[in-house]
Amino acid sequence: MKLVVVSAGRSVPSSTRLLADRLAAATARHTPVDVQVVEVRELAVEIAHHLTNGFPGRALSAALDAVTGADGLIVVTPVFTASYSGLFKSFFDLIDPEALTGKPVLIAATGGTARHSLVLEHALRPLFAYLRAVVVPTAVYAASEDWGAPGLAERIDRAAAELAALMTGLTRSDAAIGSNAVTGREAGAGSAPDTADALRVVPFEEQLARLGAA
């Protein structure tokens, strides 16, 4: 499975990239994934050009293809003026509104104070709900005082487990549908294959319950 991490940190190193890397590593502990990181900062010039002339550069085009083709996303932004950064929003403005439909997304943010933690619920979650993505229940916010303090590692692991559960569930469903279709063709059946079982969606609460029992 392919996991794409979108980091909108402005500096090197940055706490935003650090949080992104920890979330990716935690997800990889729960399910095998190939991780690709998209540093939005490196695409700033191409994003500006695309917004003004409508043509993406080569690096930006590759990044957009990676995001839309991923099995799951981790998106992390620094907080500016009580919201996501303008560069972060500009990047996702370039993605087709239908391209993320049904895609599992873990949202996260960093900031200088815990007072900005609600940016996850009043800015990031509505953005990806509009894009019809499936946002995991646990969002992760890391203020300056959270690094090295109790609680952050647990939130990271819980959010990563939820993302892994969603990614794994969707991948198994896709595989079952493909297998069912092939079986139907090989059997030479005149009617369409029965996909009722293959299309069964495992409730997210059930997936989380299985993780808790493991």
Side-chain angles (χ1 to χ4, degrees):
M1 291 186 295
K2 182 180 180 182
L3 173 65
V4 173
V5 181
V6 179
S7 172
R10 295 196 305 170
S11 60
V12 180
S14 73
S15 59
T16 300
R17 176 60 187 268
L18 177 60
L19 179 58
D21 289 342
R22 290 195 178 183
L23 288 166
T27 304
R29 288 194 294 270
H30 289 281
T31 189
V33 290
D34 294 321
V35 178
Q36 178 180 345
V37 178
V38 173
E39 277 284 3
V40 183
R41 175 183 56 83
E42 298 174 355
L43 303 170
V45 173
E46 291 193 22
I47 290 173
H49 287 168
H50 189 14
L51 288 171
T52 55
N53 62 30
F55 296 100
R58 184 174 300 176
L60 176 59
S61 181
L64 295 174
D65 288 345
V67 168
T68 56
D71 296 300
L73 297 175
I74 294 173
V75 299
V76 192
T77 178
V79 175
F80 289 103
T81 321
S83 188
Y84 35 64
S85 74
L87 188 59
F88 177 88
K89 179 60 163 56
S90 295
F91 177 78
F92 282 99
D93 281 344
L94 302 179
I95 294 178
D96 186 283
E98 304 292 331
L100 300 186
T101 299
K103 195 177 299 295
V105 177
L106 191 167
I107 56 174
T110 59
T113 171
R115 291 194 298 271
H116 293 306
S117 61
L118 286 178
V119 69
L120 294 165
E121 304 304 327
H122 73 68
L124 277 168
R125 196 176 294 275
L127 170 62
F128 288 95
Y130 170 78
L131 294 172
R132 297 185 179 88
V134 181
V135 184
V136 303
T138 302
V140 180
Y141 180 83
S144 299
E145 62 266 25
D146 289 329
W147 299 103
L152 179 59
E154 288 76 9
R155 295 198 302 275
I156 288 173
D157 189 68
R158 182 168 65 248
E162 293 169 359
L163 178 62
L166 271 180
M167 291 176 66
T168 303
L170 290 177
T171 301
R172 287 176 178 171
S173 177
D174 291 343
I177 293 171
S179 176
N180 200 348
V182 171
T183 301
R185 288 195 300 269
E186 290 177 348
S191 58
D194 182 9
T195 58
D197 292 335
L199 289 173
R200 176 178 176 270
V201 177
V202 179
F204 189 55
E205 294 80 3
E206 182 179 332
Q207 296 188 41
L208 292 181
R210 292 175 182 174
L211 288 173

